[in-house]
Amino acid sequence: MIYPGGVVGYRNLQQCVADLERRGMLVRIEAPLDPNLEIGAVQRRCYQRGGPALLFTNPVNCRFPLLGNLFGTLERTRFIFRDTLDDIRRLVELKVDPFSLLKHPLDLLKAPCAAWHLLPTFSSRAPVMECRTTLSRLPQLVSWPKDGGAFITLPQVYTENPSKPGFGSSNLGMYRVQISGNNYEPDRQVGLHYQIHRGIGGHHAEAIARGEPLKVNIFVGGPPAMTLAAVMPLPEGMPELSFAGLLGGQRIPMARMEGQLPVLAEADFCIRGLVHPDRTLPEGPFGDHLGYYSLAHEFPYVQVEEVLHRRDAIWPFTTVGRPPQEDTSFGAFIHELTGPLIPTVVAGVKEVHAVDAAGVHPLLLAIASERYVPYAPRRQPQELLTIANAILGQGQLSLAKYLFVAAQEDAPDLHTHDVASFLGHMLERADWRCHLHFQTATTIDTLDYSGSGLNQGSKLVIAVAGPQLRVLGQQVPAGLEFPAGFGGARVCLPGILAIQGPASRQGRGECDASIETFCNFYGERDRFDGFPLIVICDDCDFTADTLNNFLWVTFTRSNPETDLYGIRSLTRGRHWGCQGALVIDARIKPFHAPPLEDDPEVERRIDSLAVKGGPLEGLV
C-alpha cells in the first residue's frame, strides 16, 4: 500500500506522534490515569480491540506524557516505516538472489543511497542533553499487580565492546530494566535483566575479564526505527544503529561525550551508568510475554550516573502478557522483513515459525527438505534431523523447547503459519516409536519456568516424513473410561484430545506417577485410535476452547524431559518412544510461576471511564 505525503522516516518520536495524530491514528487521553496498573491495562485492552496509538497527557504523579500502543497493529507499524520498506526488501532480495539485479538493474542505483544510512552521524550537541532528572521522576509504570516495581518496557540498551570501542562493535538490545522496587538504591540503581544468548552478554563478559565496569546507556524513545532495531535478530557484525538508519531512512544522529559512550541525540531519555563486575541484586517479579510472572532472581544492575531528557520528552511504553499483545505486531513485522532470509541461513529450510500464541520460544514449527535418499521406496526423516540441529544452533532459535519439522516434499502447499493444518499434517504421519528426539539437561528460555531450573530444561524435536499413517479423530471416542482422578475430555484439534487430570504434586525435575498410572490404565486396550496426541490439563474445556488456549497451555506448561509419557512406551537402546498415543502433562506444577491476572478493581475503574461519553469510550 502506498501512503501519500509522507516524510522520509521520522527523525524523532515527536514527528511520529504529530503525523499519526494528524492522520487519525493516535488519540490523546487527558483523563488522569495512574501509571501504576491503570495505564498498562488501558493499553492492553485497546490493543485487543485493534485500537489507535494512545498518548496519555495527564498521568498521575508524573510530568511526562506516556505513549502506548504505537506498534499495536501491523498496518500501523507498516505505515510508520512506509518510506523505507522497499529499500529493505530490495536489500533482502539481493541477499537471497543477487542475480535479481539482472532482472531489475535500476535497483542497483538505489542501493548506495540506502547504504549511506547505515553510518551514524556524530556531533557534540543533542536535544536529549538539554535537561536532567532523576529515576523517581520518570513514569513509574507497573503493568501487573505482582510486579516487583516499575519497569522500562521499551528500553534500548546500548553497549560497546570494551576491547574494541566504537559503534562497529556496539550492541543495542531491548533488555528488561527495573527502575524502582526491591533492594535498589532509589535514584541510583536500576536492574538489568538480559536473557542468555543476548548480544550484551559478550560485552559484559569482556568487561569482567578486563576487571572493569561495563559502560551502559539506556535510551527511551527517539526515532521509532531505534525501538524496532533493538529487537531485530540481525546477523553477526551488523550494528543495530546501522539497521535503524536503514529502517528510518536517515543516518542515526549520535552525540559524543568525553570519556563516555555516545548518546542517541534524538532520544527522549537517556540513563547513563556502569555495570560493575560480579555485582548483582534481585530483579523482578515481572509479568512477561509467556503469560506468567518471571520471578525474582539475581541479575546485574546499573549504577546510575545521570538521567538526561529532552525538553518535550515523551515516554513510550508497552505492556506484555499472554499473547497476543503489542509485541505480537513486532514479531509479525520482523517476520515480513526477515522471513525470506531464513533459507540463506540454514540450507534446506523453507520456513520457520516461532509460534507467538505459545510464547515464541516454547514452540517452533519448520518445513524443510528431505533429499538424502531420494531413491528409497519410503521417505524417512534424515536430512530433517540435520536441519533441526542447525536450526537449534541459530541464536535465539537455540532456546526453542519443542521443534516440529515436516518434509516439504510431502505437502508442497503446507505452511507453518497455518498452525492447525501443520499440526494435522504432522500427526497424520507421526510414528512415536522413532520420530521423537530429545535433548536433555540443556538451555531453555530464561522466562520459561517449566524446566529443571533457571535457563535449564530440555528440548524435543519431532521430525516426520513419508506417507499418511492414520486418519485423525474428530470426536471424543465413545464409551471412553478414565482411571481414578481423571475425567472429562475435549477435542482440541483433529487428532488431539485434552483430558482433565488431578492437581499436579510433582517436584522440579521429577516425573509424575499419576500420569504413568494413566498410561498403564489403557495398556493394550488403547481407546485412542485416531488421537495420537493426548494433553493432560487442569481444565479441558479451557484448553480445547480455542487454538490459542491449546498452544499456550500445552507448550508453556510442559518440559519434554519430565512431562512426556506414552501409552505402551518402549526403549530401544537409549531411544524412547511409544506404540500408542503420546501424552503431554500440561498441568500447572507446584514450581511453575503464577499466570498473569488483571486487577479487578482497576478493571472496574476502566469500565467506568469507557461508558458512553466517558474519556475511554470506544477505546477499550
Side-chain angles (χ1 to χ4, degrees):
M1 182 176 294
I2 299 175
Y3 301 92
V7 297
V8 181
Y10 298 113
R11 183 174 178 84
N12 51 46
L13 195 56
Q14 287 67 24
Q15 284 185 354
C16 179
V17 166
D19 192 32
L20 293 181
E21 186 172 25
R22 184 169 59 251
R23 298 170 184 270
M25 297 182 181
L26 178 144
V27 171
R28 291 175 178 260
I29 297 178
E30 298 180 356
L33 289 166
D34 199 331
N36 182 24
L37 299 181
E38 289 185 345
I39 285 180
V42 169
Q43 183 270 322
R44 292 193 298 273
R45 288 173 59 164
C46 184
Y47 168 80
Q48 297 299 334
R49 291 174 59 98
L54 303 173
L55 186 66
F56 298 87
T57 59
N58 191 22
V60 173
N61 297 324
C62 181
R63 55 164 291 204
F64 299 107
L66 284 78
L67 174 65
N69 213 41
L70 179 63
F71 305 103
T73 68
L74 182 56
E75 179 67 11
R76 187 158 61 248
T77 305
R78 292 187 187 122
F79 175 83
I80 289 170
F81 302 113
R82 60 196 179 277
D83 296 304
T84 58
L85 290 184
D86 285 344
D87 286 339
I88 293 174
R89 292 183 180 122
R90 187 177 301 110
L91 292 175
V92 169
E93 184 180 350
L94 294 180
K95 171 70 174 176
V96 174
D97 180 16
F99 292 102
S100 64
L101 278 181
L102 298 178
K103 305 173 187 175
H104 307 287
L106 292 180
D107 286 353
L108 183 61
L109 299 177
K110 301 177 183 179
C113 298
W116 178 243
H117 299 150
L118 296 172
L119 301 174
T121 64
F122 290 91
S123 65
S124 59
R125 301 177 63 184
V128 73
M129 299 167 65
E130 293 176 338
C131 307
R132 283 164 174 76
T133 188
T134 61
L135 293 173
S136 57
R137 292 175 180 169
L138 298 177
Q140 301 298 297
L141 185 78
V142 179
S143 301
W144 296 98
K146 297 179 183 178
D147 281 358
F151 287 81
I152 304 175
T153 55
L154 287 178
Q156 307 156 33
V157 181
Y158 181 84
T159 57
E160 295 179 355
N161 188 330
S163 299
K164 190 181 177 182
F167 100 92
S169 65
S170 65
N171 175 257
L172 186 77
M174 192 167 287
Y175 312 124
R176 203 162 78 206
V177 177
Q178 183 173 350
I179 61 174
S180 67
N182 295 355
N183 297 323
Y184 298 121
E185 182 182 343
D187 286 328
R188 295 292 297 156
Q189 296 171 340
V190 300
L192 180 60
H193 174 136
Y194 63 84
Q195 297 161 259
I196 57 176
H197 289 277
R198 297 291 186 174
I200 191 176
H203 292 174
H204 193 187
E206 184 68 20
I208 292 174
R210 293 166 62 95
E212 62 187 43
L214 177 68
K215 297 176 182 177
V216 175
N217 282 350
I218 302 168
F219 308 132
V220 181
M226 285 286 287
T227 299
L228 193 72
V231 296
M232 280 292 295
L234 297 178
E236 191 75 24
M238 181 176 185
E240 287 80 8
L241 288 184
S242 294
F243 181 82
L246 183 65
L247 185 62
Q250 51 192 289
R251 299 170 69 185
I252 297 298
M254 303 293 288
R256 290 191 175 94
M257 298 184 69
E258 184 67 29
Q260 306 294 335
L261 293 178
V263 301
L264 175 62
E266 293 286 348
D268 287 76
F269 299 85
C270 175
I271 301 172
R272 293 199 316 101
L274 301 171
V275 176
H276 291 278
D278 304 321
R279 295 189 194 177
T280 62
L281 284 171
E283 184 268 357
F286 178 75
D288 229 313
H289 71 263
L290 267 70
Y292 308 89
Y293 287 96
S294 55
L295 304 180
H297 297 283
E298 294 286 325
F299 278 94
Y301 63 89
V302 179
Q303 195 69 34
V304 175
E305 297 185 328
E306 65 177 342
V307 181
L308 309 171
H309 70 90
R310 58 189 300 147
R311 294 186 186 278
D312 55 352
I314 298 171
W315 185 268
F317 76 94
T318 189
T319 57
V320 293
R322 182 191 159 185
Q325 299 289 347
E326 185 178 2
D327 53 354
T328 300
S329 298
F330 269 121
F333 185 70
I334 289 171
H335 179 78
E336 283 190 356
L337 297 182
T338 62
L341 289 175
I342 291 175
T344 72
V345 176
V346 181
V349 171
K350 177 185 177 183
E351 56 183 80
V352 175
H353 178 200
V355 181
D356 181 71
V360 182
H361 292 315
L363 178 62
L364 288 184
L365 308 180
I367 297 173
S369 58
E370 183 51 73
R371 304 163 297 186
Y372 273 5
V373 284
Y375 50 83
R378 177 171 174 167
R379 187 180 297 112
Q380 296 183 23
Q382 297 178 76
E383 184 179 9
L384 293 187
L385 297 178
T386 301
I387 291 171
N389 286 327
I391 291 173
L392 293 177
Q394 299 296 320
Q396 293 295 300
L397 296 182
S398 68
L399 299 180
K401 189 166 58 173
Y402 289 88
L403 171 58
F404 289 57
V405 189
Q408 177 181 353
E409 293 78 5
D410 291 333
D413 294 330
L414 187 67
H415 292 286
T416 56
H417 281 75
D418 185 350
V419 176
S421 295
F422 182 90
L423 293 177
H425 172 91
M426 296 286 295
L427 294 176
E428 287 174 340
R429 290 161 175 77
D431 182 345
W432 300 137
R433 296 172 299 176
C434 55
H435 288 167
L436 303 171
H437 308 275
F438 291 85
Q439 293 184 14
T440 60
T442 187
T443 54
I444 60 173
D445 190 351
T446 303
L447 309 179
D448 192 329
Y449 282 83
S450 68
S452 53
L454 186 67
N455 300 320
Q456 300 171 356
S458 61
K459 305 181 188 300
L460 174 65
V461 173
I462 299 179
V464 303
Q468 181 174 339
L469 302 179
R470 66 179 62 85
V471 175
L472 301 180
Q474 301 193 43
Q475 293 183 343
V476 176
L480 183 61
E481 298 177 352
F482 303 99
F486 294 83
R490 288 277 307 276
V491 175
C492 299
L493 291 169
I496 303 175
L497 204 61
I499 294 180
Q500 200 155 303
S504 173
R505 293 182 175 84
Q506 78 186 70
R508 186 182 293 278
E510 300 176 354
C511 293
D512 193 317
S514 69
I515 309 299
E516 298 282 8
T517 300
F518 173 90
C519 294
N520 293 336
F521 177 83
Y522 297 99
E524 296 302 323
R525 55 174 183 154
D526 187 351
R527 298 295 305 276
F528 299 111
D529 185 43
F531 288 94
L533 180 58
I534 297 171
V535 177
I536 307 297
C537 56
D538 298 299
D539 185 338
C540 64
D541 290 331
F542 174 82
T543 302
D545 186 50
T546 65
L547 173 62
N548 281 359
N549 283 4
F550 159 73
L551 294 169
W552 184 60
V553 168
T554 302
F555 298 106
T556 65
R557 298 180 182 178
S558 62
N559 174 32
E561 180 180 7
T562 56
D563 295 328
L564 260 68
Y565 305 80
I567 294 175
R568 302 198 309 280
S569 64
L570 51 85
T571 303
R572 293 174 178 168
R574 295 295 183 268
H575 188 92
W576 181 90
C578 58
Q579 301 175 78
L582 182 68
V583 178
I584 300 180
D585 180 7
R587 299 171 297 168
I588 294 178
K589 316 301 190 299
F591 53 87
H592 284 184
L596 302 180
E597 296 178 346
D598 292 307
D599 184 297
E601 185 176 338
V602 170
E603 293 301 305
R604 285 192 291 270
R605 155 95 164 137
I606 294 173
D607 287 340
S608 71
L609 298 175
V611 299
K612 186 174 179 60
L616 300 181
E617 179 187 0
L619 296 176
V620 296

